[in-house]
């Protein structure tokens, strides 16, 4: 059941420039942006991969380093407020994961901004600004644009690492086993959280471990 009117959680749209291109294209009204929805201290976003499980993932809000070097944080927009509890938000994300699978990603019809807009509508009844999703419009004007874009634009680093684990491609056998269990829960299609290594490629930071644990809980909730 939704929370009472005494507490309404802010719903933020976090927007990222795609590498250096917007320095030149924004003056022509052709900015290319990635976006995610921030609520209850977690940012949810969507990306593509060639597997039949969720493409939704979560990162630390406004942390472009987790997305990869092609991303630069631009701005945040307050979309509204939600009376959903944190658990209800997680359930909503799990539900959307059934539709926003990695293999369903499409530059024009189902990209990160489409996901942000749909989640925003669920939480606070408002779509994201149309200018944020101009990439979809551009793809209708430039045939085969999606095939020309860097892979990192379609699959952010935060999602790529999780996909490697979930598909059994990780280097560490223990992580591979963990991913196997993770995806088993997520045939469910909740959101995924990727590991964030330190500069030497070592262990997960405690912050990301906590985030990963919360994601596994989300996946279990989505499968129930």
């Amino acid at each position: 059941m939704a929370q009472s009117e005494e507490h309404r959680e802010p719903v933020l749209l976090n927007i990222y420039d795609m590498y250096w291109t917007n320095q030149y294209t924004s003056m022509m009204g052709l900015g290319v942006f990635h976006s995610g929805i921030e609520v209850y201290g977690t940012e949810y976003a969507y990306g593509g991969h060639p597997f039949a499980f969720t493409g939704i993932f979560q990162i630390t809000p406004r942390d472009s380093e987790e997305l990869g070097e092609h991303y630069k944080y631009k701005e945040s927009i307050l979309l509204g407020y939600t009376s959903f509890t944190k658990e209800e938000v997680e359930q909503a994300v799990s539900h959307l994961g059934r539709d926003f699978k990695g293999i369903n990603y499409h530059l024009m019809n189902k990209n990160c901004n489409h996901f942000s807009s749909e989640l925003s509508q669920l939480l606070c009844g408002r779509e994201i600004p149309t200018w944020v999703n101009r990439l979809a419009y551009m793809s209708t004007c430039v045939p085969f644009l999606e095939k020309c874009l860097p892979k990192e634009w379609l699959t952010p680093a935060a999602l790529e690492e999780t996909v490697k684990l979930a598909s059994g491609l990780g280097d560490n056998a223990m992580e591979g086993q963990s991913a196997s269990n993770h995806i088993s829960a997520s045939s469910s299609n909740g959101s995924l959280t990727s590991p964030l290594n330190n500069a030497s490629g070592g262990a997960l930071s405690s912050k990301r471990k906590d985030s990963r644990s919360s994601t596994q809980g989300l996946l279990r909730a989505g499968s129930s």
Side-chain angles (χ1 to χ4, degrees):
M1 181 177 297
Q3 295 178 176
S4 65
E5 291 296 325
E6 283 75 19
H7 179 82
R8 292 176 63 82
E9 185 73 10
V11 178
L12 296 169
L13 177 71
N14 294 332
I15 303 168
Y16 302 81
D17 279 316
M18 301 297 285
Y19 201 43
W20 49 267
T21 55
N22 288 353
Q23 297 179 25
Y24 305 96
T25 60
S26 60
M27 294 182 292
M28 300 181 289
L30 296 176
V32 179
F33 305 103
H34 168 80
S35 71
I37 294 293
E38 177 185 347
V39 61
Y40 286 108
T42 298
E43 182 173 330
Y44 299 96
Y46 172 64
H49 58 69
F51 300 100
F53 54 86
T54 183
I56 301 172
F57 61 99
Q58 60 186 56
I59 65 169
T60 303
R62 302 176 297 283
D63 191 339
S64 59
E65 290 185 2
E66 292 188 32
L67 293 170
E69 62 180 7
H70 290 273
Y71 298 80
K72 180 181 179 181
Y73 172 71
K74 176 179 175 64
E75 64 179 292
S76 296
I77 297 174
L78 176 63
L79 295 172
Y81 295 84
T82 185
S83 56
F84 280 37
T85 65
K86 182 177 181 180
E87 290 73 22
E88 288 170 335
V89 170
E90 292 173 346
Q91 291 173 6
V93 171
S94 289
H95 177 76
L96 288 177
R98 300 170 185 172
D99 185 36
F100 285 87
K101 297 178 181 179
I103 58 172
N104 291 345
Y105 186 98
H106 190 281
L107 188 64
M108 182 172 64
N109 300 322
K110 193 181 291 291
N111 63 35
C112 59
N113 300 313
H114 290 110
F115 165 75
S116 293
S117 193
E118 192 157 337
L119 180 57
S120 176
Q121 287 184 72
L122 280 175
L123 297 181
C124 62
R126 179 181 173 186
E127 295 184 350
I128 69 173
T130 55
W131 62 264
V132 177
N133 203 18
R134 199 158 288 147
L135 176 60
Y137 169 75
M138 288 174 61
S139 69
T140 67
C141 303
V142 183
F144 311 113
L145 176 60
E146 184 169 1
K147 294 182 179 180
C148 298
L149 294 178
K151 177 177 178 292
E152 293 81 3
W153 286 21
L154 308 181
T155 309
L159 176 59
E160 176 70 20
E161 290 303 311
T162 300
V163 169
K164 287 180 181 179
L165 293 178
S167 60
L169 299 178
D171 294 330
N172 187 292
M174 291 290 288
E175 290 182 338
Q177 181 60 43
S178 174
S180 176
N181 296 336
H182 186 75
I183 189 141
S184 181
S186 86
S187 47
S188 70
N189 315 302
S191 74
L192 300 173
T193 301
S194 75
L196 179 63
N197 293 336
N198 60 24
S200 62
L204 295 173
S205 67
S206 59
K207 177 176 67 174
R208 299 302 291 157
K209 286 181 179 178
D210 292 341
S211 181
R212 193 179 198 185
S213 296
S214 68
T215 296
Q216 291 172 337
L218 170 59
L219 295 176
R220 286 194 293 272
S223 62
S224 62

